[in-house]
Amino acid sequence: MPSRFALPTFVLPALLTACAATPPGPAGQAPPPGDPGFDVVEATIAGIHEAMRDGRVTARGLVEAYLDRIERYDRRGPALNAIAVVNPRARAVADSLDALWRAGRLAGPLHGIPVIVKDNYDTHDLATTAGSAVLAGSVPLDDAFQVRRLREAGAIVLAKSNMAEWAFSPYETVGSTLPGYTFNPYALNRVPAGSSGGTAAAVAASFGAVGLGTDTGNSIRGPSSHTALVGIRPTQGLTSRDGIIPLYLDRDIGGPMARTVADAALVLDVIAGPDAGDPVTLESRGRVPETYTAFLDPDGLRGARIGVLRQISAEEGADPAVRRRLDEALEVLRRGGATVLDPVAIEGWDEIMDAPLFCRRFHHDINAYLATLGPAAPVRTLADIIATERAHPSVRDRLVQLAEVPVDFEADEGCRRAGANADRLRQAVLALLDRERLDALVYPTWDNPPRLIGDLDSPHGNNSWQISPPTGFPALTVPMGWVEDRLPVGLQMLGRPWSEPVLIRLAHAFERATAHRRPPASTTEP
């Protein structure tokens, strides 16, 4: 196993003890789904490894339990429609990991952990479609870099999750790969946002232990907020984009979606770091700690300086209940020992927001991706995609519009203006952080709770696109509470480049102080 996956010092003793303990069961066997010895609902990575050590579950038992839940709650029951395809080799992979365990060996820090992967990550053994029927049956030549890292660390790619087609929509998760919408498990008439809504719904409903999403403007943090998850959009360059079907490559990034900050940090440990296939990540050299879990400090708010960006959270149309949750969250920060500056302001905000921040370079980026699929690629250009007429009606017009941006996007005036404006925003945010000596900025991830399915007219409240993607700065969302006692809302924290350790410390302390996370009733009741 590559040295990059040397186990963190706090993990190694426990897992080695587990390997030396009585094997968890006969080869290829495990407690049946629903066995009282171990319940996968809300199970954490640490809890799973403890259960393995105690002989209460095997990797095969985990796979069977999660697959049972997918069958009961995704295919039937509430029929969340979150899973695009289940890995038919998941059981065999689990058996091989159990054999390693019995031999006293570990594959890595995610040994036996079933993971849900968004369907725009390349997987060499499963089709990768980006939610589009145009790519049905398209199996890439190799794994995305992050997927390969997960497998090398011992994770099991259990399933690929549904997504908004081509990752276009931050508002809903619907495409042409699967019929119908993905539903929010907390309210089956509501959206899980987009485009990583399938991963969000699946992880929230305990169809897997953790998940991978991608984020161009919103799509890790928004769906995580809508489903009471922790989602991390890392610093641009911390995680590789190699093998991820692009939307706008200069804003795209992949990262973890999990039920706890600790689990998100463990996944980030595995996927972070330089990749020669994505030169931007070479900037991460020397900036990745031995383990992000070292920053899981329950007293991590003490001494922090946090600024409240009311320029976002005071938007017209914001839900009053979300504002109340924000005010309650600020009190938690203060009680935890943080100095809260409320409000703080980014200079030139209105002028920056009135100018473009995104270059619509999909034409170039999707053509470049399709070229990596080799001679078996079902289509080769954006023009081919449009010509198939297989796209979902919700994206057809946008495909045509994006085709109007030249493949040589750098010649496009809109792209030049977006680049200059993003630079201005980057400097303005840094100036604010420096001027007030802030560790982070906070604001609601969305100003409004999850919308009703099919509603694209009411205020959406998406706050995720304005700062983190254009600047490349890291941001995460952590559960902030509930509206109407059943609709999740999230608190977003944004920091300087490479400040993931600080954000993880703050978010973990907030999570421990509030314990807002709870499982959805739709997938926990008979």
Side-chain angles (χ1 to χ4, degrees), residues 16-53:
L16 288 179
T17 300
C19 286
T22 303
Q29 295 184 12
D35 186 281
F38 189 74
D39 186 358
V40 297
V41 175
E42 298 292 292
T44 65
I45 294 172
I48 288 170
H49 283 158
E50 180 182 2
M52 287 181 171
R53 181 179 67 245

Side-chain angles (χ1 to χ4, degrees), residues 118-435:
K118 186 177 178 179
D119 195 24
N120 58 350
Y121 281 85
D122 280 357
T123 44
H124 76 273
D125 51 356
L126 296 167
T128 299
T129 75
S132 178
V134 176
L135 293 184
S138 176
V139 180
L141 299 177
D142 57 10
D143 284 339
F145 180 83
Q146 291 187 46
V147 173
R148 186 167 73 251
R149 281 280 180 90
L150 287 175
R151 296 198 212 245
E152 290 171 347
I156 301 168
V157 176
L158 184 68
K160 303 288 286 291
S161 56
N162 193 31
M163 58 180 285
E165 188 160 349
W166 302 114
F168 282 176
S169 177
Y171 306 123
E172 56 187 1
T173 299
V174 63
S176 55
T177 296
L178 289 178
Y181 294 87
T182 294
F183 301 105
N184 191 317
Y186 290 95
L188 297 175
N189 61 345
R190 304 268 176 169
V191 297
S195 65
S196 305
T199 299
V203 174
S206 294
F207 294 166
V210 290
L212 285 184
T214 63
D215 190 315
T216 305
N218 156 84
S219 297
I220 287 173
R221 294 157 295 150
S224 295
S225 172
H226 274 25
T227 54
L229 298 179
V230 176
I232 300 177
R233 179 191 165 98
T235 303
Q236 198 78 40
L238 183 61
T239 58
S240 174
R241 300 163 297 176
D242 177 64
I244 297 175
I245 298 179
L247 175 50
Y248 305 145
L249 188 64
D250 60 333
R251 302 289 188 258
D252 296 340
I253 199 161
M257 300 170 70
R259 292 183 293 270
T260 67
V261 177
D263 280 0
L266 281 165
V267 174
L268 190 60
D269 276 346
V270 170
I271 63 176
D275 167 27
D278 184 0
V280 171
T281 63
L282 301 183
E283 296 183 27
S284 69
R285 287 176 174 164
R287 292 183 163 113
V288 181
E290 179 184 356
T291 173
Y292 288 101
T293 61
F295 302 94
L296 298 172
D297 180 2
D299 197 34
L301 291 169
R302 190 162 306 282
R305 290 177 61 84
I306 298 172
V308 184
L309 200 61
R310 299 270 180 187
Q311 284 167 308
I312 289 181
S313 61
E315 290 286 339
E316 184 178 351
D319 187 283
V322 176
R323 292 182 180 179
R324 289 194 293 272
R325 297 296 88 78
L326 174 63
D327 291 338
E328 292 162 5
L330 299 180
E331 273 306 304
V332 172
L333 300 178
R334 294 184 183 100
R335 289 199 304 269
T339 298
V340 176
L341 284 69
D342 183 11
V344 297
I346 297 171
E347 292 185 2
W349 175 258
D350 291 340
E351 294 82 1
I352 292 170
M353 289 299 111
D354 285 341
L357 284 165
F358 289 78
C359 169
R360 301 185 308 153
R361 50 182 286 174
F362 180 75
H363 192 173
H364 170 276
D365 294 339
I366 195 61
N367 285 3
Y369 169 79
L370 293 172
T372 70
L373 298 177
V379 288
R380 299 186 181 279
T381 66
L382 176 54
D384 293 343
I385 292 171
I386 295 169
T388 67
E389 298 185 348
R390 300 187 68 191
H392 191 273
S394 65
V395 303
R396 288 173 187 166
D397 289 346
R398 187 168 176 184
L399 287 169
V400 173
Q401 293 166 5
L402 290 171
E404 296 172 357
V405 178
V407 173
D408 180 14
F409 63 87
E410 293 178 346
D412 181 74
E413 176 60 25
C415 287
R416 285 197 293 267
R417 290 179 61 210
N421 197 39
D423 286 341
R424 181 183 178 188
L425 176 62
R426 189 175 299 112
Q427 295 307 315
V429 174
L430 283 175
L432 169 60
L433 293 170
D434 290 343
R435 183 172 64 250

Side-chain angles (χ1 to χ4, degrees), residues 94-120:
D95 289 343
S96 68
L97 290 166
D98 286 335
L100 277 179
W101 185 277
R102 290 191 297 272
R105 297 168 56 200
L106 293 169
L110 297 182
H111 183 103
I113 301 299
V115 179
I116 306 296
V117 175
K118 186 177 178 179
D119 195 24
N120 58 350

Side-chain angles (χ1 to χ4, degrees), residues 436-461:
E436 303 292 353
R437 296 179 289 113
L438 297 175
D439 295 290
L441 298 170
V442 299
Y443 43 91
T445 306
W446 283 57
D447 282 334
N448 298 77
R451 278 170 160 172
L452 293 169
I453 294 284
D455 172 18
L456 293 177
D457 297 320
S458 64
H460 56 77

